[in-house]
Amino acid sequence: MLFTPIKPMLLHMGNNNEIDDDPSWIYDIKWDGWRILLHKQGERIEAFTRHGNNVTAKFPELQGVGRSIQSHSAIIDCEGVVLRNGISVFDDFAYRGRLANPSKIEQATLSHPATFVAFDLLATDKPHTNKPLVERKEILSSMVEPSNSLLITPSVAGNGNNIFQLTKDKGMEGIVGKRSNSTYKTNHRSHDWLKYKHFKITEAFILGYKENPFTMLVGKRLNNGKYKPLANVEFGFKPEEKTAFREIAKQQIVTKVTRYDVVGT
């Protein structure tokens, strides 16, 4: 498993009106960044996205991450974020992910410092995926020395509604609820893991879409006439809505744009 791409366990969308305060559920803060799997053996450490891309070269902070992991070998599931006053800012981490020039990457470690927030453990010198979540979290906590580069996400048993309200008050993305006895199933979307998000309403333009899974890229139009991406929208579409959109797209979607039509941060 070490240093090879792994498709992580994924979540289903939960109903915000049905958050369970049962203590058999563990609730984590939902951080807004990129899903990252950290692989470590000795002094070697590498980072992979959920899609299997090796992004190690983009994050010099990983050297500090390696020193924080008090285990010779480990595969840790986490969220890569840039924190501003304790709140993760997606656009700032996405900016880090777009950089390729080594000098700009080095500058960004100061202007957009990356932090990796760990929430699960797949392996140390042996696999832990078949252990219940509560045990995996205990092992993870025992082997990580928190630092500016690596943190462990706060977790609470039960009290899902309280932490959901707290994250709303602080302007955070939401929470994740997981059954405490759930095992880790790679490349699987499980109803044992549910995400509850605080939704905001805004007007946006459809900038593009992709299949497998059906996802729309939406953004806003800037004063200079260019467009800034805001989000990838994967959920909330009815089958008939997807069919109708595909029919419209065949006739009206623009398939060629200049590289300057869409801008980032």
Side-chain angles (χ1 to χ4, degrees):
M1 294 176 70
L2 269 171
F3 304 114
T4 58
I6 298 171
K7 292 186 177 181
M9 187 167 172
L10 301 176
L11 310 93
H12 275 281
M13 184 70 73
N15 186 329
N16 292 357
N17 296 319
E18 298 178 356
I19 298 175
D20 197 339
D21 285 332
D22 188 326
S24 65
W25 283 80
I26 294 175
Y27 292 94
D28 297 344
I29 291 172
K30 189 177 189 308
W31 301 97
D32 200 3
W34 286 12
R35 186 81 173 269
I36 299 289
L37 287 163
L38 300 174
H39 295 237
K40 187 216 174 192
Q41 187 174 60
E43 296 184 357
R44 179 183 175 188
I45 184 163
E46 295 184 6
F48 294 82
T49 69
R50 59 174 282 193
H51 300 295
N53 299 318
N54 190 319
V55 292
T56 306
K58 295 178 179 292
F59 301 102
E61 295 94 339
L62 288 169
Q63 294 307 309
V65 170
R67 291 189 292 270
S68 292
I69 301 172
Q70 308 296 299
S71 174
H72 182 266
S73 299
I75 301 176
I76 295 174
D77 200 350
C78 66
E79 190 85 356
V81 299
V82 171
L83 298 174
R84 306 293 189 189
N85 297 318
I87 307 298
S88 53
V89 180
F90 178 84
D91 283 351
D92 284 356
F93 194 85
Y95 168 76
R96 287 296 305 272
R98 290 194 297 270
L99 294 179
N101 182 285
S103 63
K104 290 186 177 180
I105 289 173
E106 194 62 36
Q107 293 172 11
T109 62
L110 300 177
S111 63
H112 296 69
T115 300
F116 297 87
V117 185
F119 53 80
D120 212 327
L121 177 69
L122 281 71
T124 51
D125 57 342
K126 59 184 178 182
H128 296 294
T129 50
N130 287 330
K131 289 184 170 67
L133 172 65
V134 65
E135 289 188 25
R136 299 197 307 274
K137 281 184 171 290
E138 288 175 356
I139 298 170
L140 179 65
S141 295
S142 70
M143 55 180 276
V144 169
E145 183 178 324
S147 66
N148 290 336
S149 301
L150 181 64
L151 301 173
I152 295 179
T153 193
S155 298
V156 297
N159 295 317
N161 285 289
N162 288 342
I163 191 172
F164 187 66
Q165 184 61 46
L166 177 64
T167 55
K168 182 178 181 179
D169 294 342
K170 290 184 174 294
M172 306 179 83
E173 188 184 13
I175 63 173
V176 174
K178 302 175 181 178
R179 293 187 186 276
S180 62
N181 64 351
S182 60
T183 58
Y184 194 105
K185 300 176 181 177
T186 59
N187 195 25
H188 177 75
R189 190 178 293 278
S190 173
H191 285 283
D192 287 339
W193 288 17
L194 300 174
K195 55 185 173 183
Y196 303 94
K197 301 181 67 173
H198 302 296
F199 293 100
K200 298 178 182 179
I201 298 175
T202 187
E203 183 178 279
F205 293 86
I206 299 172
L207 304 181
Y209 82 105
K210 67 177 183 178
E211 301 284 359
N212 301 318
F214 182 89
T215 306
M216 286 188 183
L217 171 64
V218 300
K220 65 179 181 180
R221 187 171 185 176
L222 305 178
N223 292 334
N224 61 8
K226 296 180 180 181
Y227 293 87
K228 177 181 178 180
L230 291 178
N232 292 318
V233 183
E234 183 178 338
F235 301 98
F237 301 108
K238 298 177 182 177
E240 58 268 27
E241 293 172 337
K242 295 179 183 179
T243 300
F245 177 80
R246 292 186 181 104
E247 290 302 315
I248 295 172
K250 288 179 183 178
Q251 305 297 325
Q252 300 183 27
I253 195 166
V254 177
T255 57
K256 292 184 179 180
V257 296
T258 68
R259 62 180 294 183
Y260 302 106
D261 287 336
V262 178
V263 299
T265 54

